[in-house]
Amino acid sequence: MTGEAGPELIMPMSPSKASRSWQLLTKAVNQINGGAATVGTDNSDVLAEMNAKFDRLLAMFAQLLGLSADQITAIQNSGMDMPTMYKKMAKDQRLHDMQAF
């Protein structure tokens, strides 16, 4: 492109003229790339790499959630009895009240 845009290269911005906008955009990309590449290039390698990274991320997240579930199960099975805990808290409170008197 020489810096002078003819009337056919002005990008229509109206949504009703979207198809013409795409035609002009494709033409501009082809001119910039010397006709070597088109707008719809093959990105299968990039997509495969991104899928692999996403799978690794999901595996790590699943492992993190698994550890959390194991921790919750351990806490629930630790034998923590609420009535016993309340009795201990009451005993501690009475001891504190007696020392503060």
Side-chain angles (χ1 to χ4, degrees):
M1 293 168 51
T2 62
E4 294 181 9
E8 71 279 351
L9 293 179
I10 296 174
M11 184 69 68
M13 300 304 285
S14 171
S16 64
K17 298 180 181 178
S19 63
R20 178 68 179 144
S21 297
W22 280 111
Q23 288 174 347
L24 292 174
L25 187 59
T26 303
K27 185 176 180 180
V29 168
N30 285 335
Q31 285 181 356
I32 291 170
N33 291 332
T38 60
V39 174
T41 58
D42 183 24
N43 293 325
S44 60
D45 293 338
V46 174
L47 186 60
E49 182 181 350
M50 288 177 65
N51 280 337
K53 288 180 181 180
F54 188 66
D55 288 342
R56 284 194 299 269
L57 181 65
L58 285 175
M60 284 191 260
F61 191 66
Q63 184 179 12
L64 177 67
L65 288 178
L67 290 175
S68 296
D70 290 344
Q71 290 171 347
I72 290 170
T73 302
I75 290 169
Q76 288 174 342
N77 294 334
S78 68
M80 186 70 138
D81 184 25
M82 294 306 283
T84 305
M85 184 179 75
Y86 292 144
K87 287 178 185 176
K88 182 177 179 343
M89 288 171 63
K91 182 180 174 184
D92 291 342
Q93 185 64 46
R94 283 193 303 270
L95 182 61
H96 179 267
D97 292 344
M98 214 183 317
Q99 290 175 347
F101 183 62

